[in-house]
Amino acid sequence: MLDWLIIGGGIHGVHVAASLRGRAGVDGRRLRIVDPGAQLLDRWRACTGVTGMTHLRSPAVHHLALEPMSLHQYAGQRRHRAPGVFAPPYDRPSLALFNAHCDAVIEEHGLAAGHVRARATSVDRVPDGWTVHLDGGAKLDTRQLVLAMGSAEAPAMPAWSLAAGEAVRHVFDPALMWPSSAPPLRIAVVGGGITACQVALRLAGEGHAVHLLCRHALREHQFDSDPGWLGPKYMAAFERERDWGARRRMIARARHRGSVPPDVHAAIRRAREGGRLRIHESGVVGCVTTLAGEVRLRTDEGEFPTGLDRVLLATGFATERPGGDLVDRLVEEERLAVAPCGYPVVDGSLQWASGLFVTGPLAELELGPSSRNIAGARRAGERLVARVRSAGVSEGRWAS
């Protein structure tokens, strides 16, 4: 039986595993990460790669290593200090540097050796912990289980797009075929946040005729929530609030959904002024695909003025509780506590039931608006390490 098993090999799963290994002394031979990707962080790399982003939105102190200045130190050691490696403000790292640093963290803690390439399909409680069933028919037993599922496999699809055909795709659809740059195409990007803007800029840079359709004027915010949510400035009141519905409303008000940081906003303005991009402040309500394969959109202002070759949705991810049937079954069978919004009610150590822990979106009613972000992964790692230390560790194993 394993000591720890983590379902999800994304940002949260990898940082939690590194924290358990590097700070809590968990034996790597007794820890596994279950994820269907070919490598850890597979969906992270796919989603960030398709957008064409050059730098992260978050500062350099938000990364997957254990020490806050690790990314700066790594950049110096690897001679990554060329112009553009860190972008102002807040020394935001380039995506290439961040990914290379992630690889170093995975190697340092031997996490790839514990990667089980499979999809967890169900979880059962057993006397000493949990049994996780995998899609290939195998199963793993573990004393402690961490649910580190995100929403990356659940892109938000507007109702009008569901019967639209192959010409309309979400940018985070794993089956997306990126538009060829030859010949140039007429492409609409639907969305008003950072992903929509980055995708529109990438397409315009590749020579396509790009239309950005958003329901509102672009909203400029450096981060997707105020940095005060990372500390007591706002979290003190959040933690005092015992009404879960009120906490959900606080999270909703705090998040700058559909916003763009100043540098991306400036790049959009330049592309628009240079004639490489057109912006339409209107929502899409329907579409048809002609026999010739041309997409015709209908907006809340009427028929869109031009036919299109492709429509790319940058409409974010579903807001429902992550985990799908696996988590739904757990809630029902184990009678797990959930708030009116359906999300877990956990204790201060992110424990949902004995030996069952959560991170990422599943932990947001405890960790607040930053729970889904890299900063949230770091806070979750701290909570779990504190839990292990308070319980006592004997030879890398959870003490009874």
Side-chain angles (χ1 to χ4, degrees):
M1 177 176 278
L2 299 169
D3 285 335
W4 289 88
L5 188 149
I6 300 167
I7 299 178
I11 291 290
H12 289 261
V14 169
H15 180 70
V16 164
S19 297
L20 291 172
R21 291 279 293 114
R23 286 200 170 129
V26 172
D27 188 335
R29 295 168 296 182
R30 305 188 64 82
L31 181 151
R32 295 290 184 273
I33 304 173
V34 172
D35 187 275
Q39 59 181 328
L40 296 174
L41 300 177
D42 217 37
R43 285 298 293 155
W44 160 264
R45 295 178 193 274
C47 290
T48 55
V50 76
T51 67
M53 67 182 291
T54 60
H55 292 79
L56 271 65
R57 192 174 192 173
S58 52
V61 292
H62 295 172
H63 51 72
L64 304 194
L66 305 184
E67 299 304 323
M69 296 307 295
S70 174
L71 185 53
H72 277 109
Q73 293 164 356
Y74 178 82
Q77 292 169 1
R78 294 294 300 270
R79 300 182 181 178
H80 281 301
R81 295 287 186 173
V85 170
F86 291 103
Y90 305 107
D91 271 355
R92 295 175 297 111
S94 71
L95 179 61
L97 172 62
F98 182 84
N99 286 343
H101 184 245
C102 289
D103 289 339
V105 172
I106 291 169
E107 182 178 359
E108 177 185 358
H109 298 288
L111 303 184
H115 175 201
V116 178
R117 188 180 178 186
R119 186 178 298 277
T121 57
S122 64
V123 173
D124 295 323
R125 188 193 290 272
V126 294
D128 293 330
W130 303 89
T131 294
V132 177
H133 300 270
L134 309 180
D135 56 1
K139 61 182 182 180
L140 294 169
D141 294 326
T142 183
R143 290 182 173 82
Q144 280 74 232
L145 175 63
V146 181
L147 304 180
M149 298 106 146
S151 302
E153 292 187 342
M157 301 293 293
W160 60 264
S161 71
L162 298 180
E166 294 295 313
V168 180
R169 286 283 192 177
H170 200 286
V171 295
F172 294 143
D173 182 345
L176 171 70
M177 295 293 291
W178 187 256
S180 170
S181 57
L185 302 177
R186 301 164 299 170
I187 303 177
V189 179
V190 179
I194 183 173
T195 295
C197 290
Q198 289 173 331
V199 168
L201 289 169
R202 177 183 174 184
L203 290 166
E206 293 173 356
H208 298 290
V210 183
H211 301 265
L212 178 62
L213 284 82
C214 43
R215 291 176 296 178
H216 51 74
L218 295 183
R219 302 164 178 161
E220 185 175 301
H221 293 280
Q222 182 65 57
F223 302 114
D224 52 13
S225 62
D226 191 287
W229 285 101
L230 298 178
K233 181 177 180 180
Y234 298 135
M235 281 302 296
F238 182 85
E239 290 168 349
R240 286 194 300 269
E241 178 58 67
R242 303 317 302 167
D243 180 271
W244 304 114
R247 283 198 181 193
R248 172 57 63 196
R249 291 189 291 273
M250 293 171 77
I251 291 170
R253 289 194 299 268
R255 286 193 175 128
H256 303 313
R257 288 178 60 87
S259 65
V260 296
D263 60 324
V264 175
H265 196 180
I268 287 287
R269 285 197 299 268
R270 291 193 297 270
R272 185 180 191 178
E273 292 165 0
R276 297 184 294 119
L277 172 68
R278 296 185 64 185
I279 300 178
H280 310 264
E281 289 181 20
S282 55
V284 180
V285 297
C287 77
V288 295
T289 303
T290 68
L291 292 177
E294 183 180 73
V295 181
R296 305 291 306 194
L297 293 180
R298 188 171 72 257
T299 74
D300 48 22
E301 295 182 347
E303 196 77 15
F304 193 66
T306 182
L308 301 159
D309 300 301
R310 297 286 300 276
V311 176
L312 293 181
L313 305 175
T315 45
F317 298 104
T319 58
E320 291 81 9
R321 181 181 66 205
D325 290 342
L326 183 151
V327 172
D328 293 345
R329 278 189 54 201
L330 263 177
V331 170
E332 181 178 355
E333 294 174 0
E334 299 300 327
R335 300 183 182 276
L336 300 178
V338 296
C341 61
Y343 277 65
V345 173
V346 301
D347 66 16
S349 66
L350 308 183
Q351 184 171 227
W352 200 5
S354 179
L356 177 65
F357 301 85
V358 299
T359 182
L362 292 173
E364 63 187 13
L365 289 179
E366 177 64 24
L367 296 181
S370 67
S371 182
R372 297 171 180 244
N373 302 337
I374 301 171
R378 297 184 65 81
R379 294 175 66 202
E382 292 169 358
R383 299 280 187 105
L384 287 169
V385 168
R387 170 76 186 201
V388 175
R389 287 175 172 171
S390 67
V393 177
S394 175
E395 295 181 355
R397 298 179 62 178
W398 186 274
S400 59

